[in-house]
Amino acid sequence: MSSSPQPVVKKGITLWPLIAATYFMASGGPYGLEEAVGSAGYLGAILLVLITPLMWSLPTGLMIAELSSAIPAEGGYYVWVRRAMGPFWGFQEAWLSLSSSVFDLAIYPTLFVAYLGRLVPGMDKGWHGIAIGAGVIAACLLWNLAGGKAIGEGSLAMLFVMLAPFAVLTIAALLYRSPALQSSWVPLSHSGLIAALLVCMWNYMGYDNAANVGGEVENPQRTYPLAMVLTIGLVAAGYVLPILGMSRTGVAPSQWTTGSWATLGGIVGGRWLMIAIVLGGMVSSFGQFNALLMSYSRLPLAMAHDGLLPRIFARVQPRTGAPLVAIVACAILYGACLGLGFDRLVTLDVLLWGASLVLEFLALAVLRVREPQIPRPFRVPGGVVGTALLGVLPTILLILAGIYAEHEQIFGMSVWVFGTIVMVAGVAAYGLCSLIPKKERALSHNLSR
């Protein structure tokens, strides 16, 4: 089943800007990885940081490399699932992704404010925190209106700024000497490994978001396969090297808690390194929100173009081609969630996003069967069987995450119940959107020009 023609967009995202934007979509640096060390110790965390991308990220990267090079389109995975399995499943793919983004993106402006509060005490309290968080969202909104090229190039600059303190931390940690050198290596525990695995899964997910700007990428047939492999390697190196360096300091894993990178930097490098890591955290939070706003805003654009959302979402900024209304709508949605104070519910985020990932792997296999004639500059090896098996390991990890999620609560109910409600709401939302008049659907693509 073929979808309607894609919106006219402006290209300009090249290899390294795409790598940088993908890095922020999927990682944002080692921030958030502290709980993995605290749960599994240095050895367990290092093993998981090295193994998780092979089981979790690499299959996703291979899937993206094939589909993004074969069908480079605005809306990425929504377009693939819709083309493979029809508009209902395409809508559910977008619904699950946008739903998970609410619990993900709303936290980044709050994290920015929290890091700022460590530098300027009191700035994260009361109305100051809400106002600064809203300012972060407004700045990202304006930056996004400048187009995908501007986001990619800005992400590349922020990547160097954010990683520099960790490069210094790694060197300082390797040179640091402590009489307790051997005490930091503790035995592995089964429960600790499971908890750390979920943290690692969360820190390695989101590569598929890079596909949503496929229509803006220069030479996507070559750029996407290279970008996926290089980004996964860069993320893994950015995780394992600082942890490996800190393992030589004698700092006990029990000292690793969420947000402790700055404290650890202060131990091995002094106050100036602590401040640099805090500033890097602000850059990381800003860069993640900025890149992900770019990605998620392309979903309403593509859906409006297909008549699954009102045609106003297909409006673009004439000079840059950025989806004007979709960007503003997404920014308002995430801004409205600033005051809710969500904890970072790793498992809920993994489950909702993971359900959309399963649909993407299914689309990969279905398109191999239904449309074998599509030119595929990059192919997952193994033919139809290889594409069908590619999603097995990620799905097993998702099931493991689901089993582990039984004890987590949100709004007074289990994560499973809440996740089910979100999914059922997607079915109802599709029914409502299908009532959009056919005339409006037919006209929607004209507004994207």
Side-chain angles (χ1 to χ4, degrees):
M1 176 184 296
S2 62
S3 60
S4 58
Q6 277 291 303
V8 176
V9 294
K10 297 182 183 294
K11 293 185 179 291
I13 303 178
T14 53
L15 176 62
W16 284 103
L18 179 62
I19 289 172
T22 305
Y23 189 99
F24 281 108
M25 292 176 195
S27 169
Y31 301 98
L33 201 63
E34 301 96 322
E35 290 289 346
V37 180
S39 297
Y42 288 104
L43 178 58
I46 290 171
L47 289 175
L48 287 173
V49 164
L50 292 173
I51 294 172
T52 303
L54 298 177
M55 300 187 300
W56 178 246
S57 304
L58 186 59
T60 304
L62 292 174
M63 177 264 293
I64 298 163
E66 173 167 325
L67 291 178
S68 289
S69 61
I71 312 172
E74 294 293 271
Y77 43 69
Y78 155 75
V79 174
W80 307 335
V81 174
R82 185 187 190 282
R83 182 161 173 167
M85 294 180 282
F88 173 81
W89 289 111
F91 186 94
Q92 302 312 310
E93 169 72 14
W95 175 267
L96 289 168
S97 298
L98 289 170
S99 298
S100 69
S101 77
V102 171
F103 298 96
D104 195 11
L105 266 71
I107 197 66
Y108 295 126
T110 304
L111 284 174
F112 180 97
V113 173
Y115 283 117
L116 179 61
R118 298 192 64 169
L119 296 179
V120 186
M123 293 303 290
D124 56 338
K125 306 299 182 184
W127 67 268
H128 296 96
I130 297 294
I132 294 170
V136 168
I137 293 175
C140 290
L141 186 158
L142 294 174
W143 199 336
N144 265 263
L145 292 179
K149 184 175 185 289
I151 299 296
E153 292 172 350
S155 295
L156 187 58
M158 285 189 284
L159 180 63
F160 284 107
V161 173
M162 187 269 297
L163 287 180
F166 287 97
V168 175
L169 171 69
T170 301
I171 295 171
L174 291 173
L175 296 175
Y176 186 83
R177 289 293 176 264
S178 167
L181 181 62
Q182 299 301 319
S183 67
S184 61
W185 294 90
V186 297
L188 303 179
S189 70
H190 174 72
S191 60
L193 281 175
I194 297 297
L197 174 61
L198 291 174
V199 174
C200 288
M201 288 172 64
W202 187 84
N203 278 277
Y204 273 113
M205 75 182 205
Y207 291 91
D208 56 340
N209 288 315
N212 289 341
V213 293
E216 298 165 69
V217 173
E218 297 281 357
N219 191 12
Q221 292 76 15
R222 174 183 179 275
T223 301
Y224 269 106
L226 278 174
M228 291 302 105
V229 173
L230 292 174
T231 306
I232 291 171
L234 182 61
V235 170
Y239 287 166
V240 74
L241 292 178
I243 295 175
L244 185 61
M246 287 302 301
S247 73
R248 302 288 298 166
T249 64
V251 174
S254 59
Q255 292 185 240
W256 288 68
T257 57
T258 300
S260 63
W261 275 117
T263 303
L264 298 170
I267 291 173
V268 302
R271 179 169 173 77
W272 71 270
L273 183 54
M274 180 185 71
I275 292 173
I277 291 175
V278 172
L279 289 172
M282 295 171 64
V283 172
S284 172
S285 300
F286 187 96
Q288 288 180 86
F289 188 91
N290 204 34
L292 286 166
L293 179 59
M294 173 181 69
S295 173
Y296 287 120
S297 65
R298 271 54 179 178
L299 293 175
L301 169 69
M303 295 168 73
H305 189 76
D306 286 339
L308 292 176
L309 284 180
R311 65 176 183 264
I312 192 172
F313 287 98
R315 291 186 182 275
V316 298
Q317 213 278 350
R319 185 174 60 84
T320 64
L324 174 62
V325 176
I327 289 172
V328 172
C330 287
I332 291 173
L333 173 64
Y334 302 136
C337 297
L338 277 178
L340 296 181
F342 287 126
D343 291 327
R344 178 165 289 178
L345 293 169
V346 173
T347 309
L348 176 64
D349 204 10
V350 169
L351 288 176
L352 290 177
W353 175 83
S356 68
L357 184 67
V358 171
L359 289 177
E360 294 165 31
F361 280 116
L362 287 173
L364 174 69
V366 170
L367 286 171
R368 273 290 189 96
V369 174
R370 296 185 59 179
E371 299 191 47
Q373 77 285 356
I374 299 176
R376 291 173 169 84
F378 175 86
R379 284 177 173 265
V380 174
V384 175
V385 174
T387 58
L389 294 177
L390 190 65
V392 170
L393 276 177
T395 302
I396 291 174
L397 291 177
L398 288 168
I399 293 172
L400 181 63
I403 294 173
Y404 186 82
E406 290 180 339
H407 68 282
E408 288 199 14
Q409 298 280 316
I410 179 172
F411 300 138
M413 65 187 79
S414 76
V415 168
W416 268 108
V417 172
F418 186 83
T420 301
I421 292 173
V422 171
M423 294 178 190
V424 171
V427 176
Y430 176 78
L432 291 174
C433 290
S434 65
L435 299 177
I436 294 174
K438 292 183 177 180
K439 181 180 179 181
E440 181 166 317
R441 300 187 196 186
L443 290 174
S444 63
H445 72 280
N446 293 326
L447 296 176
S448 66
R449 298 186 183 277

